[in-house]
Amino acid sequence: MNEATLVIIKPDGLKKSLTGNILTRLSETKLKIIGSKIVKVGEELAHKHYHHLKNQAFYPELIKYITGRLHGDNRVMVLVYWGTGAISKVRMIAGATNPEEADPVSIRGAYGRILTTGLYENVVHASSDVEEASREIRLWFEPEEIVYELYPTKEVKAEQKTKRVWE
Ligand code: DAT
Ligand code: MG
């Protein structure tokens, strides 16, 4: 079944110049990239993304990690992959959550590490099921930033909104 999944190349992936390597590994899935961008991750987005883990002991470190405060660089690359079995195909190449337990040829096995604080610095995020993918894609992307109409949309009047344009 065709499905969409969200991938985040986390700040360690960008800091270590691993974006090319990771995209090459992900291209083995033959899935289609239907959205991609570099995002500056603020506190609000980080908390929304990881809200289900807020009671975990590692949560404060996890927020520091995804907002770039651990690496002095708050950029991440977010992508939407689409195709048959996209969620499990990407999870397979990403590898297990714990980089020490991950298959050594997976992305996390090859490039991840465990910090002395105990946090898994595992280079990539990948949605784990259809509901999570839907929630995460709609959190990170606006409808017009994705080339397929994945989810229902509605039109709203945004007259009061200001936006920054090139001077
Ligand atoms: P995944 O990213 O494989 O879906 P998750 O959603 O359970 O795993 O956790 C989100 C991130 O939190 C994970 O990528 C790394 C960190 N993490 C998870 N469990 C951890 C643990 N037991 N100790 C340290 N960091 C952990
Ligand atoms: Mg998860």
Side-chain angles (χ1 to χ4, degrees):
M1 197 182 68
N2 282 327
E3 55 193 20
T5 189
L6 184 87
V7 172
I8 306 175
I9 304 180
K10 298 180 185 181
D12 50 325
L14 275 81
K15 182 105 179 189
K16 293 176 177 174
S17 286
L18 289 171
T19 46
N21 307 51
I22 293 165
L23 295 178
T24 300
R25 293 302 318 280
L26 289 169
S27 69
E28 290 167 22
T29 62
K30 308 277 197 299
L31 296 167
K32 283 187 184 172
I33 297 173
I34 60 168
S36 78
K37 59 181 176 177
I38 300 290
V39 175
K40 199 162 72 173
V41 185
E43 293 292 316
E44 192 185 340
L45 180 56
H47 285 286
K48 281 185 180 162
H49 180 73
Y50 281 131
H51 76 101
H52 54 293
L53 296 171
K54 64 176 184 294
N55 297 323
Q56 300 293 326
F58 57 83
Y59 185 72
E61 281 301 301
L62 184 61
I63 296 298
K64 274 194 205 163
Y65 175 25
I66 199 69
T67 56
R69 282 185 280 134
L70 289 185
H71 298 89
D73 189 336
N74 64 356
R75 292 170 306 144
V76 301
M77 185 170 192
V78 275
L79 302 113
V80 180
Y81 281 85
W82 188 88
T84 311
I87 294 168
S88 62
K89 282 178 181 166
V90 170
R91 289 286 290 192
M92 185 71 80
I93 285 180
T97 306
N98 179 340
E100 304 247 306
E101 287 172 2
D103 185 329
V105 302
S106 68
I107 295 167
R108 288 166 164 181
Y111 303 123
R113 61 177 182 168
I114 301 182
L115 301 182
T116 49
T117 56
L119 185 74
Y120 303 159
E121 191 188 82
N122 58 9
V123 196
V124 289
H125 167 83
S127 308
S128 57
D129 55 53
V130 175
E131 289 71 35
E132 189 175 273
S134 161
R135 187 187 77 82
E136 292 177 348
I137 291 167
R138 289 180 294 114
L139 175 65
W140 289 83
F141 285 88
E142 299 291 339
E144 69 268 21
E145 293 176 315
I146 299 174
V147 298
Y148 289 177
E149 270 191 38
L150 292 178
Y151 311 111
T153 57
K154 62 179 179 189
E155 288 204 332
V156 292
K157 280 220 169 13
E159 284 162 1
Q160 306 301 334
K161 219 173 152 190
T162 60
K163 69 170 191 174
R164 191 162 293 277
V165 296
W166 303 116
E167 204 168 39

